[in-house]
Amino acid sequence: MKKFLAILLALALCVSCFAACGSDQGGSSSAAGDSSAAGDSSAATDGDSSAAEEEGTSTDNGDLPTISLMIVCGTTPPDAEAVAAELSKITAEKIGCNVEFITFEVGNSKQQIQLLLSGGDNTLDIYWADGGGTSVNFVNAALSGQAMPLDEIMAPYADGMKEALGENVYNAGIVDGVQYGIGRLLDQASSAVFTIRADVAEEFGYKNGDTIASLDELTEFFRQVHEAYPDIPIIGPNNGAVNWGDTRVDNLGDANMLGVLDNYGQDETITNYWESDKYQERLECVKEWMEMGIYMTDLMNVTEAPSDLIPAERCLGCFAGHFSAEMNGIWSTQNFGVECASLKLYDDAVAVTPGAYYCVNPNTENADLCAAFLNEMATNPDVANLLINGIEGTHYQVLEDENGEYASYMDGKDVSSTGWCMGYSWTALNSTISLPFEYPSDYFQQLLDSNASAKQSKAFGVQFNTDECADALAACTNVVSQYNNPILSGSVQDVDATAEQFRQALKDAGIDEIIAVKQAQLDAALGK
């Protein structure tokens, strides 16, 4: 029955992949693009749409084999067929195959991909795995036979890909001594930032991209702002929560911080973050901010986005994370509808293991072509630009600033009227060889510089297998979900008492077991 359902799902995905269902705004703002072979973003939806749905990606490349690539968007992009056709012109000439897209909508992508892979289906040749948020968990996919070992098929391309991605990123896809994935090159070192209206920041001596070196300095800034704007809350939500992360530690790929490496990942002993001085310091801030009255009322239940709240003066700002406070401010200005400044909270940053990996389905019939295409994704700017920005002249135009070229919407177009996955660089194997979309032309150079200057964690590249503490991990995850956001958003009456309950609940749920399992694996990776 599972096999039968998988086949039905695969057929449905192949059909919906090319249907004109609307536009997509992707998962971030770092790049965008859209494509259509005709020169207008609606062209792929005109004419005989039923033929497109029945026949899939059309190319003029004869009887060449076709490999399929996973694409995740907010909604299925109407110009997917046109982008795939343009991409196939390159791959037909360079590696002898066509490429088609299997699109997944981000809200249910994890479940759909899991169903395809567990059913033994070969519809999807190349996919990316992450920590289990948007796609399947990479380590689980590797150890359960859902990802093909890549050492042999990637051997002809390994040296060039290591040069393009960085050897540390390339090798991060090794699990138990076997390469199962190719690490995605993106920002490795994120910093906590606070984004606030630019005019307010400037009033107190800060501009976009400045650093606030300590939490004491941040609290003093908040105090001054509150005195000047007593009727407007300062701290609003971002993605439904306060979203204030601590980027001074390596969380080892676990957003719930169930075992971390302190000192910007330079320690070799995994510790309980929730019992650390750093967490206690944040609790003291929460208590002071609550006393000042600078949180939005009932912050945990506010469903609107910062773009709804900040321009309407329902709050002045929100927390976020980015490799560059300056770039985050630029993105916020574009998306919040008001001039913003993002302030970096700490001087240093830690470079952590990539969060996603491109994998090959073990059931593929074209493993060698998959390997060749992964190499193109990592090293060929034309391929990267098509995947990220769509077709030049149709979905993006090339503009210049003082440092070089960048991509921008076609005149008269925006996210609602273009046909490709806007912001798709967040899933690209190597976005740094593409044109930045609506960012300064040196955006990706700044990203690479940030990666290089950050303190690389001692656990960089270590893939933790938490199967043996899965029950404790699930229980502790529930505990963090119950306590962390309410505490940090100022939504509890007694911060100290609630934090103590939080810590004890983690103990009872098995956090010490999780830390011990991770420590043993880290020690083995470090050769101890």
Side-chain angles (χ1 to χ4, degrees), residues 431-479:
S431 61
T432 69
I433 57 175
S434 70
L435 291 173
F437 185 85
E438 301 232 314
Y439 272 126
S441 62
D442 63 348
Y443 175 86
F444 287 124
Q445 186 57 55
Q446 290 191 41
L447 182 151
L448 294 172
D449 291 344
S450 171
N451 289 350
S453 63
K455 296 179 177 179
Q456 181 168 294
S457 171
K458 294 292 184 66
F460 194 103
V462 179
Q463 298 291 346
F464 291 96
N465 177 13
T466 54
D467 282 353
E468 59 185 287
C469 58
D471 290 342
L473 191 66
C476 287
T477 296
N478 288 335
V479 171

Side-chain angles (χ1 to χ4, degrees), residues 249-313:
V249 300
D250 180 358
N251 66 15
L252 308 180
D254 179 7
N256 294 302
M257 313 280 273
L258 301 174
V260 303
L261 284 186
D262 204 348
N263 189 26
Y264 293 95
Q266 302 310 293
D267 291 354
E268 296 182 0
T269 300
I270 297 176
T271 58
N272 184 345
Y273 173 79
W274 306 109
E275 294 182 345
S276 69
D277 292 341
K278 286 183 172 62
Y279 181 57
Q280 186 60 42
E281 180 188 22
R282 298 172 80 198
L283 294 180
E284 296 304 318
C285 286
V286 169
K287 290 189 289 185
E288 197 163 357
W289 298 345
M290 289 174 64
E291 184 177 348
M292 290 163 58
I294 62 174
Y295 282 104
M296 276 194 74
T297 302
D298 201 21
L299 186 151
M300 289 288 294
N301 293 318
V302 177
T303 59
E304 294 99 326
S307 57
D308 301 313
L309 303 171
I310 296 176
E313 294 191 346

Side-chain angles (χ1 to χ4, degrees), residues 218-269:
L218 179 64
T219 297
E220 180 57 29
F221 171 59
F222 284 167
R223 191 183 310 281
Q224 294 174 11
V225 172
H226 183 56
E227 290 175 355
Y229 299 90
D231 298 327
I232 308 177
I234 297 175
I235 303 173
N238 190 356
N239 293 328
V242 70
N243 206 14
W244 174 26
D246 194 334
T247 55
R248 297 172 293 180
V249 300
D250 180 358
N251 66 15
L252 308 180
D254 179 7
N256 294 302
M257 313 280 273
L258 301 174
V260 303
L261 284 186
D262 204 348
N263 189 26
Y264 293 95
Q266 302 310 293
D267 291 354
E268 296 182 0
T269 300

